């Protein structure tokens, strides 16, 4: 689902402001950090920024939906380089499984796709249970699955952050990237609601808080206070 133009522009402005704040804090050594582009090889952060600006201008010409999707992917990569984090592309089988499940419109189709995928890493399972819970908000199994697959390592957190970013060997259409982006955006609310329903999952929820800061696109920190506050009220 694409965003209305006003919301799209607000989101672009917000992401740009956060990126600029991070860039202004860097010294020469920071701009010399490198990241590996799948086609152009090792590139310094300065080169990434130049490439990003050219790419962004092109996407403005192509259309705002493509701009939002591709721009998010580039900003994710830039921020990982700035933070000195490693970035590895999602394996093709995992991305194919995620893109198929993200587009399922019924629980039956989703469960069938999950069974056929043969891929069960944590973030792929997160996609499955998040989509299931969004299709069936009261389902207990889906809620427990969302809680059991909260990212627990930096690698998993980065994998979630770049959820819609396709690997080099996949030419994913915008509809697929938006479907995965929608799961990324919905997940903070889904996991917060699940944690409030089943407090035994609160430990994993709280443990993710330090990792959540990696992802500036996520609203996890925005939903955190309400979730933890609700938990404290229930058990005060």
């Amino acid at each position: 689902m694409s965003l209305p133009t006003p919301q799209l522009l607000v989101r672009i402005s917000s992401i740009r402001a956060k990126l600029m704040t991070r860039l202004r804090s860097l010294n020469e050594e920071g701009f010399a950090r490198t990241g590996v582009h799948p086609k152009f090889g090792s590139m310094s952060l300065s080169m990434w920024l130049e490439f990003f600006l050219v790419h962004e201008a092109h996407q403005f010409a192509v259309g705002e939906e493509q701009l939002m999707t591709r721009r998010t992917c580039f900003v994710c990569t830039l921020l990982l380089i700035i933070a000195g984090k490693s970035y590895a592309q999602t394996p093709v089988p995992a991305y194919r499984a995620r893109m198929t499940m993200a587009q399922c419109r019924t629980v039956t189709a989703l469960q069938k796709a999950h069974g056929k995928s043969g891929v069960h890493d944590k973030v792929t399972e997160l996609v499955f249970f998040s989509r299931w819970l969004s299709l069936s908000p009261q389902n207990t199994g889906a809620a427990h699955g969302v809680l059991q697959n909260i990212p627990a390592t930096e690698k998993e957190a980065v994998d979630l952050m770049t959820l819609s970013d396709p690997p080099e060997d996949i030419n994913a259409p915008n509809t697929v990237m938006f479907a995965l982006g929608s799961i990324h955006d919905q997940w903070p609310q889904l996991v917060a609601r699940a944690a409030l329903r089943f407090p035994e999952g609160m430990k994993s929820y709280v443990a993710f808080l330090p990792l959540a800061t990696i992802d500036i696109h996520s609203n996890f920190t925005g939903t955190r206070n309400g979730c933890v506050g609700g938990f404290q009220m229930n058990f005060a």
Side-chain angles (χ1 to χ4, degrees), residues 23-44:
L23 290 173
R24 289 191 181 105
S25 69
L26 296 179
N27 55 23
E28 290 187 13
E29 183 179 346
F31 281 101
R33 290 175 179 169
T34 59
V36 179
H37 188 279
K39 291 184 179 179
F40 304 129
S42 180
M43 296 167 55
S44 69

Side-chain angles (χ1 to χ4, degrees), residues 97-98 100-107 110-111 114 121-151 160 163 179-195 197 205 208 218 220:
R98 296 172 191 178
T100 300
M101 290 188 287
Q103 296 178 94
C104 289
R105 297 191 176 185
T106 67
V107 173
L110 176 66
Q111 292 176 334
H114 180 253
D121 64 275
K122 181 166 282 188
V123 175
T124 301
E125 293 295 278
L126 179 152
V127 170
F128 168 63
F129 285 108
S130 296
R131 185 60 183 150
W132 184 2
L133 193 57
S134 67
L135 291 170
S136 183
Q138 300 305 315
N139 188 279
T140 299
H144 278 298
V146 166
L147 291 172
Q148 290 167 1
N149 288 284
I150 295 174
L160 174 59
L163 185 61
L180 286 168
S182 179
I183 289 178
H184 169 273
D185 293 344
Q186 292 173 6
W187 180 76
Q189 290 188 341
L190 292 173
V191 72
R193 291 172 188 166
R197 285 178 62 191
Y205 182 89
F208 180 70
S218 174
F220 186 89

Side-chain angles (χ1 to χ4, degrees), residues 46-82:
S46 295
M47 293 177 64
W48 271 97
L49 288 169
E50 291 183 21
F51 185 57
F52 162 64
L53 291 172
V54 173
H55 186 85
E56 181 186 54
H58 170 70
Q59 293 302 330
F60 265 122
V62 171
E64 63 187 24
E65 286 191 1
Q66 288 190 9
L67 169 67
M68 189 66 251
T69 302
R70 298 295 186 181
R71 189 177 192 286
T72 296
C73 294
F74 268 93
V75 172
C76 284
T77 305
L78 288 172
L79 289 170
L80 288 172
I81 296 170
I82 292 169

